[in-house]
Amino acid sequence: MNEHSMRSSYVSIGRQRIRVIVENAGSGKPLLLINGIGATGDLFEPLREHLGDRETIAFDAPGVGGSPAAVYPPTMRGIARLIAGLIHELGHDKVDVLGLSWGGALAQELARRHPDRVGRLILTATMSGWTSLPGRPAAVSILMSPARYYSTDYLRRVAPTLYGGIIAERPGLLAEHARLREARPPTTVGYMWQLSALRRWTSLPWLHRLRQRTLVLAGDDDPIIPLANARVIAGRITDGRLHIVEGGGHLFLFTRAEEMADIIKEFLAVGVDEARRHLAQA
């Protein structure tokens, strides 16, 4: 990654200060990257390296990394309003949006509440909230605590159980993730408020009302979010389709970054119908 093409700054939306990481500013239609629970926007770096010169925008959610926790427990609706304000403050009318895990839930809420701000939508390893089929008990129990963000040794021990897929075969990636996680971890309060916001939220009753062209990416070896959830989401969205990543765990977006970047770029370039034909032939 070219260090001169990436900048980190802070943007204030009302009383909330948000740390933002922009790469390739002004180049092509921006792609907003929304990360999973407790995760700094810096963790998208393996994917960004393969997205070419497109402008990408990542951020630390309230209570994560460089963004202070909100004064009161936020709702998904409130966080979506905050991110819509962030898009505006960065000078954009509309952006394409990719959401990973918890970030995929937020992406759905953003698309619903602020459809004028969202172009195409990519939902990765995500679900529809409290109506979803739960993950494996061992993975879910680990997910209830932010401990993996504070201890590299603990992350290495639990990563295969929590993330599945080939994460155990990528020690270099895991070590880099551990470094970034420890450098910009979530606060305990921020992490718990993210969990709380998700527990009170579901998209199932209104997914069919989303009008954005949507690509749903899901692994078939994801211990946190079973594949059935992606099938439901893709089936409910009017202009949506599902691409299954064989052998993909929860973090396939990073463990198979180059492959996923190619699929994402193709989708953003040609849309759902053409992407469906392309991926069917892959």
Side-chain angles (χ1 to χ4, degrees), residues 8 18 21 36 44 73 75 88 107 109 138 153 181 215 229-230 252 266:
S8 172
I18 296 291
I21 311 101
F44 275 113
T75 61
H88 174 73
E109 184 70 10
D153 289 341
R181 287 167 187 249
L215 176 63
N229 293 297
F252 63 80
E266 180 77 11

Side-chain angles (χ1 to χ4, degrees), residues 40-167:
T40 171
D42 294 322
L43 291 175
F44 275 113
E45 185 173 337
L47 178 68
R48 294 172 107 161
E49 290 179 351
H50 298 288
L51 288 175
D53 59 359
R54 168 187 289 267
E55 177 177 349
T56 57
I57 304 164
F59 63 91
D60 294 348
V64 174
S67 300
V71 177
Y72 301 104
T75 61
M76 296 300 279
R77 180 176 184 174
I79 302 171
R81 185 188 312 116
L82 181 73
I83 301 311
L86 174 64
I87 295 169
H88 174 73
E89 286 296 321
L90 292 175
H92 301 299
D93 294 325
K94 180 178 287 190
V95 298
D96 294 324
V97 177
L98 181 152
L100 168 63
S101 194
W102 182 93
L106 180 56
Q108 293 169 61
E109 184 70 10
L110 180 65
R112 178 202 183 193
R113 299 288 182 181
H114 307 276
D116 56 323
R117 295 290 184 193
V118 179
R120 292 174 183 171
L121 189 61
I122 303 169
L123 303 176
T124 306
T126 194
M127 39 58 208
S128 60
W130 63 264
T131 53
S132 299
L133 180 69
R136 299 171 196 168
V140 173
S141 65
I142 296 169
L143 196 65
M144 292 300 103
S145 164
R148 65 193 183 281
Y149 287 99
Y150 308 141
S151 169
T152 297
D153 289 341
Y154 180 72
L155 174 63
R156 287 173 179 158
R157 289 200 307 272
V158 303
T161 300
L162 181 61
Y163 299 125
I166 61 171
I167 191 67

Side-chain angles (χ1 to χ4, degrees), residues 4 6-7 13 29 38 63 67 69 114 129 163 185 217 238 279-281:
H4 299 291
M6 186 175 69
R7 61 182 175 85
I13 313 296
K29 186 175 182 180
S67 300
H114 307 276
Y163 299 125
L217 297 171
T238 303
L279 293 173
Q281 297 170 0

